[in-house]
């Protein structure tokens, strides 16, 4: 895989998700051994979103995290899912229409680097498995901070770098070697599941992500590692 700059990365990532949209949810569940649902629930719990609240899901993809947010926001809540990939949004729209949350959720086609929302619009902004994919992590977090109300929460759920010896070696053997082969077999296409380990290699350690939270002005930033540190939830307050 190769890209030379931010615009190239966007184009490449857009192509990846267009190619795998139809298989994305199934592959996620299989490749994460069904842990992905639990990880999303943990992230939503960290938002502090209450019934009747307003939430934004940045890079919502097929809407799995958006639906979890809608459960927390309840009938009087309002949840927006934003993504730049039409193919992923189409899956989200179908799943949301078949759920009890159709009236609560709005889907928006847009770019995480320049969110099309006024400042102070949401009680929380969340992003799941997306910061690895954007051209500029700080720019996206700054945008998320801008659109939440003062006192609101910014949360990122993302793959992370485990540190425990043995577990770490076994995990990387799976993630770097086996997963691309399984991904290729399951999705029928090669590139996207080679991008997954490569994107994690290029991604900063969870401690460095917390520093970016601090740098964009998010207060009390912390992270919680899940499942032995293969995933982390970062939280910061505006
Ligand atoms: C790994 S998927 C995550 C989807 C979803 N959040 C989840 O929890 O399954 C990453 C998503 O980020 C979207 N994405 C990547 N870069 C983006 C950008 N700059 N603006 C908007 N969406 C973007 C992709 O289209 C894709 O749907």
């Amino acid at each position: 895989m190769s890209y030379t700059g931010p615009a190239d990365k966007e184009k490449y990532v857009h192509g990846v998700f267009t190619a795998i949209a139809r298989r994305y949810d199934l592959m996620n569940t299989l490749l994460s051994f069904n842990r992905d649902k639990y990880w999303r629930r943990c992230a939503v719990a960290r938002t502090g979103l209450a019934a009747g609240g307003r939430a934004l899901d940045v890079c919502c993809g097929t809407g799995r995290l958006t639906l979890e947010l809608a459960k927390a926001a309840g009938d009087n809540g309002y949840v927006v899912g934003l993504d730049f990939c039409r193919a992923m949004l189409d899956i989200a729209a179908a799943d949301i229409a078949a759920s009890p949350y159709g009236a609560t959720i709005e889907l928006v086609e847009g770019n995480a680097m320049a969110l099309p929302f006024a400042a102070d619009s949401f009680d929380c902004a969340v992003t799941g498995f997306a910061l690895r994919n954007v051209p500029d992590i700080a720019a996206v977090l700054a945008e998320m901070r801008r659109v939440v109300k003062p006192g609101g929460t910014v949360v990122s759920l993302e793959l992370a770098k485990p540190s425990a010896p043995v577990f770490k070696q076994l995990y990387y053997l799976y993630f770097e070697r086996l997963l691309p082969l399984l991904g290729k077999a399951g999705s029928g296409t090669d590139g996207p599941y080679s991008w997954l380990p490569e994107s994690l290699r290029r991604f900063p350690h969870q401690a460095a992500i917390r520093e970016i939270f601090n740098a964009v002005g998010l207060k009390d930033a912390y992270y919680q590692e899940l499942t032995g540190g293969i995933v982390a939830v970062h939280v910061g307050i505006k």
Side-chain angles (χ1 to χ4, degrees):
M1 126 93 219
S2 64
Y3 56 79
T4 51
D8 259 17
K9 182 173 181 182
E10 277 196 359
K11 203 169 151 210
Y12 177 79
V13 164
H14 190 278
V16 163
F17 288 101
T18 301
I20 61 169
R22 273 190 324 110
R23 296 283 176 92
Y24 176 81
D25 287 328
L26 175 66
M27 294 308 289
N28 244 352
T29 301
L30 292 176
L31 297 174
S32 73
F33 301 100
N34 205 27
R35 295 315 282 159
D36 59 320
K37 297 175 184 69
Y38 162 72
W39 294 334
R40 290 194 186 88
R41 284 198 301 273
C42 289
V44 171
R46 295 282 166 189
T47 64
L49 181 64
R54 294 169 62 88
L56 173 64
D57 181 11
V58 176
C59 302
C60 67
T62 56
R64 292 293 171 100
L65 194 49
T66 325
L67 282 164
E68 283 301 326
L69 287 165
K71 278 182 209 167
D75 289 346
N76 297 321
Y78 174 61
V79 179
V80 176
L82 172 135
D83 203 281
F84 73 176
C85 180
R86 190 68 252 168
M88 295 290 271
L89 285 174
D90 286 346
I91 310 266
D95 286 356
I96 290 164
S99 81
Y101 305 104
T104 311
I105 299 174
E106 187 180 345
L107 293 175
V108 172
E109 193 170 344
N111 198 314
M113 299 280 289
L115 294 173
F117 309 109
D120 308 341
S121 302
F122 296 95
D123 297 303
C124 63
V126 191
T127 190
F129 305 110
L131 291 183
R132 266 174 307 115
N133 291 296
V134 297
D136 186 334
I137 297 166
V140 170
L141 290 176
E143 274 295 85
M144 291 171 73
R145 180 187 179 279
R146 181 181 66 77
V147 301
V148 300
K149 300 171 187 170
T153 316
V154 171
V155 173
S156 167
L157 166 69
E158 188 47 286
L159 297 180
K161 307 193 181 201
S163 51
V166 185
F167 175 74
K168 171 179 157 175
Q169 272 85 27
L170 287 172
Y171 173 69
Y172 280 121
L173 191 65
Y174 166 71
F175 193 72
E176 299 263 351
R177 305 285 166 130
L178 199 54
L179 181 143
L181 298 177
L182 295 173
K184 184 180 176 185
S187 70
T189 167
D190 193 0
Y193 288 94
S194 317
W195 167 240
L196 195 51
E198 183 173 348
S199 65
L200 182 60
R201 251 177 266 132
R202 293 170 181 240
F203 193 60
H205 186 272
Q206 43 272 33
I209 297 292
R210 181 184 51 202
E211 291 316 308
I212 304 177
F213 268 62
N214 288 328
V216 302
L218 289 161
K219 307 284 179 221
D220 303 326
Y222 70 92
Y223 64 89
Q224 177 193 14
E225 294 183 348
L226 302 174
T227 317
I230 65 173
V231 160
V233 180
H234 284 79
V235 184
I237 308 292
K238 176 164 174 180

